[in-house]
Amino acid sequence: MNKNNIINKNISRRKLMKGVAAAGSIAAMPGFVRYSQAASSAPIKIGFQVHRTGIGAAYGRWYDRTTQAAVKVINDGGGINGRPIEIVAEDDGTDPKRGAEALEKFANQHKCDVAFGTLFSHVVIGSAPRAGELKLPYFVVSEGHHVASGMLNRYTLQPGITDVKSQVQAMAPFVRNNLGKKVTMVYPDFAFGHDHRDYFSAAFEAQGGQILAKVPIPPTESSFSKYFPKIPRDTEVLYHVMVGPAVLTFVKELGEFYGNKSPKLFGFIDSVEAVDLSTPGLEFLDGSYFWEGNPRYAQSNQTEHDKFYRSAVGVDENGASVSDSKDVSTYAHMFGCWETLHIIKNGMEEAGYSGVGDRSKLIEAVESMSNMPLSQAHPQGAKIFNGKTHQTFGHQYITKMTNGKLVLAHTTSIEDTFYPDEVDYTQQSF
Amino acid sequence: MDLGPYLLFASLEGLVHAAVLSLIALGLSLVFGVMRIVNVAHGEFFMLGAILAWWISGFVFGSPAIGFLLALIIAPLIAGVIAMSSDWLILKHLKYDPEATIIATIGILYIIQQAVLMTFGPDARPVEQPFNYRLDLYWFGFSAYKFFVVFSAIILLFSVWLVMAKTKFGLILRATQLDSETAQAFGIPISTVYSLVFGVGAAIAAVAAVLIVPIQQAHYLMGGEPLLLAFIVVIIGGLGSLRGTVAAAVLIGMSDGIISVFFSPNLAKIIATLFVVIVLLIKPNGLFGSEKT
């Protein structure tokens, strides 16, 4: 019986040759060639925590499109170490609790290599501790200062998008020198808005400016007029930043309230992100300034990299979907997904990443990154990554609304956005 | 802003709020008054009205007013038909048992909300104002459309009162409300009346939504807050009392507007909810509720 088994398991030389030929022909098929040198050709699984529903849905839709486009570009170019990326998307409902649950699914059910993609700061703050417990590298695309502030942990990194503290610090001199001295701030009443409140007011007062009033608005609010009388009449500059599904209502009501008698307006593009600027009622925004992470409209000095990125994601020169001009993108933020995925690729290749056992090697590889030059992988611009604080720093753009389009008025240097380190995550053990 | 214009602005905001709120609460109150059931899904019929308004106005080219008027007619009809069929499919089989219908309407709430999410998506949808005119009141601007909302709400409330007080249909409703068994004995088809009332209640909420959506945008999660406020209004005003509902809506709407503008919107909700507790303690049947249950 034993002998029979051995005989059955023996493979004849002829059969072996057939097998080799078959494997060779599969490897020769288009699409398989590139992965053939890899030790393992199993896909790298990236858990994508996406705001498909809830107040972040517009961002989620475009974060998804950008992610799919980046994955296609990376996979067409040979994947990561010859292995293709597979995105495992999970809706977090823009809810911190569901966000943490999504991370658990990524780690335990889908056996993802890393997690990625979260935008809304309360979801990041709710999820990051779980990422630390699961020892799952968590690459967020959120802008919140909570990564660099030291609030989170070694497993949470933000290499693909700059944080609010550095953004507002770079805006303060421009607002002070070009728009006015007395500012009133309107901002959403949660972590992201609090970053604006705390860091802009500090930076602006350091410039000799004065904050007259701070008007917080709950992010789930659906009507805004009632907040506007709180804006003092001697306000010279109204600094506005709003998020959530009702941003269009926010700007429309702002226009209704002020007409053409408004203070000078300086807004974060978040207030009109994914909003068609030709909507009736928004004419009053003409002449006002916006911070943009990445200019929505293709500018006259557009780089070849922006051109490539724009067409890969399917965005036209006005920042809307090529298939529907009313479907406006979240262009100022979504580049972060593209750049983060390229950073994950570089980090994994640097670390010789082969599986979940190499997660800490991946984090160390990303921590050792510094200069990220303008390139196809970084179409928004050059960046400098700080491995100690897990936060990237980069150029910021100020555009002026001119005849219904946002035209570049000022680009800050990367150095404008620096501030002293507040944490050294590399000192934390894995 | 000086106190005078500040107060004017707060009152105008409050008035718009009160107008919409009284319509939503009216639908809820009607359903409770006649059918004696608490419709937890009421806010979703409001949301449905808003989403349908966006959907319908998307088909119409040219002036936004045409799309709006069309929505004002069709959206409440569809919402009403959906409400009637859910009555016919679900509530009727529960024999309108108070506890069971609460659970069932919670189920209807989720079904409608998720169905809208799956079909129309998670985005906030704007509807263009039928006319875009900004009144410049020197200290601040105010949309003329908001006055139109208040005006329409008053007309609608008046018509509902007219129907209830002066028509045969109103008589049937009042008879059913007073004593459904006796009404049935006199040949009133109770189950048809119930279906109609459930549909009309939802349709009124949908009308309120169509009116408000050019100001606020349609979104699948928008039904929650109006439901809470409508409950507050109905409890304060007395369940089933038309007069009480309107009075309470004006009270809550105006105080919400004024407290929101002068202090904070959260404080306005805290005070409104506190007021409910006080009313329940002192006058358990509401300010205008009848003594007998």
Side-chain angles (χ1 to χ4, degrees), chain B residues 71-93:
Chain B
L72 204 52
I73 299 164
I74 300 175
L77 273 180
I78 300 179
V81 168
I82 292 176
M84 281 169 76
S85 36
S86 56
D87 169 72
W88 184 73
L89 279 172
I90 303 163
L91 302 181
K92 196 171 149 185
H93 300 284

Side-chain angles (χ1 to χ4, degrees), chain A residues 245-399:
Chain A
V247 286
L248 176 62
T249 311
F250 170 74
V251 278
K252 267 173 128 173
E253 292 190 338
L254 196 63
E256 220 161 65
F257 187 80
Y258 278 118
N260 51 15
K261 286 186 284 196
S262 77
K264 286 188 176 148
L265 297 173
F266 181 84
F268 265 60
I269 193 72
D270 310 55
S271 295
V272 288
E273 195 70 311
V275 166
D276 182 0
L277 292 174
S278 62
T279 308
L282 300 189
E283 303 81 7
F284 79 104
L285 287 172
D286 224 59
S288 77
Y289 290 89
F290 283 97
W291 163 90
E292 287 196 87
N294 198 18
R296 175 190 297 184
Y297 291 84
Q299 304 292 327
S300 54
N301 65 348
Q302 187 190 24
T303 64
E304 52 171 314
H305 306 299
D306 183 70
K307 210 172 243 173
F308 177 83
Y309 158 73
R310 206 175 268 269
S311 77
V313 181
V315 176
D316 68 14
E317 56 183 19
N318 295 325
S321 164
V322 285
S323 55
D324 177 5
S325 66
K326 293 281 168 201
D327 186 2
V328 176
S329 69
T330 58
Y331 207 76
H333 297 85
M334 66 201 203
F335 70 88
C337 292
W338 177 283
E339 299 205 2
T340 303
L341 283 167
H342 282 88
I343 290 163
I344 293 172
K345 169 188 155 74
N346 287 346
M348 284 185 166
E349 287 175 347
E350 204 65 39
Y353 184 90
S354 63
V356 291
D358 293 335
R359 279 171 177 167
S360 52
K361 280 208 268 178
L362 165 67
I363 289 175
E364 282 171 336
V366 176
E367 281 170 347
S368 68
M369 291 180 181
S370 172
N371 277 318
M372 301 173 177
L374 173 73
S375 59
Q376 189 178 302
H378 298 284
Q380 184 263 355
K383 290 184 184 58
I384 296 173
F385 181 68
N386 184 336
K388 286 183 179 168
T389 64
H390 283 192
Q391 177 59 53
T392 208
F393 293 84
H395 297 287
Q396 308 297 329
Y397 302 98
I398 297 172
T399 52

Side-chain angles (χ1 to χ4, degrees), chain A residues 54 61 227 230 245 249 256-257, chain B residues 122-124 134 141 217 220 263 265:
Chain A
R61 182 173 72 245
Y227 297 91
K230 293 190 175 64
T249 311
E256 220 161 65
F257 187 80
Chain B
D123 297 302
R134 174 180 177 272
Q217 301 187 68
Y220 77 104
F263 302 99

Side-chain angles (χ1 to χ4, degrees), chain A residues 69-89:
Chain A
V71 166
K72 186 172 184 311
V73 166
I74 291 173
N75 282 351
D76 285 350
I80 297 175
N81 271 334
R83 295 167 62 185
I85 296 177
E86 182 189 327
I87 293 289
V88 180

Side-chain angles (χ1 to χ4, degrees), chain A residues 52-54 57-58 61 222-223 225-227 229-230 233 245-246 248-249 252-253 255-259 261 280, chain B residues 1 6 9 13 117 122-124 126 128-129 132 134 136 138-141 143 146 215-217 220 260-261 263 265:
Chain A
R52 276 207 211 290
T53 55
R61 182 173 72 245
S222 55
S223 93
S225 294
K226 54 194 172 216
Y227 297 91
K230 293 190 175 64
R233 283 193 87 75
L248 176 62
T249 311
K252 267 173 128 173
E253 292 190 338
E256 220 161 65
F257 187 80
Y258 278 118
K261 286 186 284 196
Chain B
M1 205 183 270
Y6 208 148
F9 181 77
E13 279 291 308
L117 175 62
D123 297 302
E128 218 174 299
Q129 293 188 5
N132 218 333
R134 174 180 177 272
D136 195 338
Y138 180 71
W139 306 277
F140 58 86
S143 161
K146 286 187 177 174
I215 308 174
Q216 275 197 0
Q217 301 187 68
Y220 77 104
S260 296
V261 170
F263 302 99

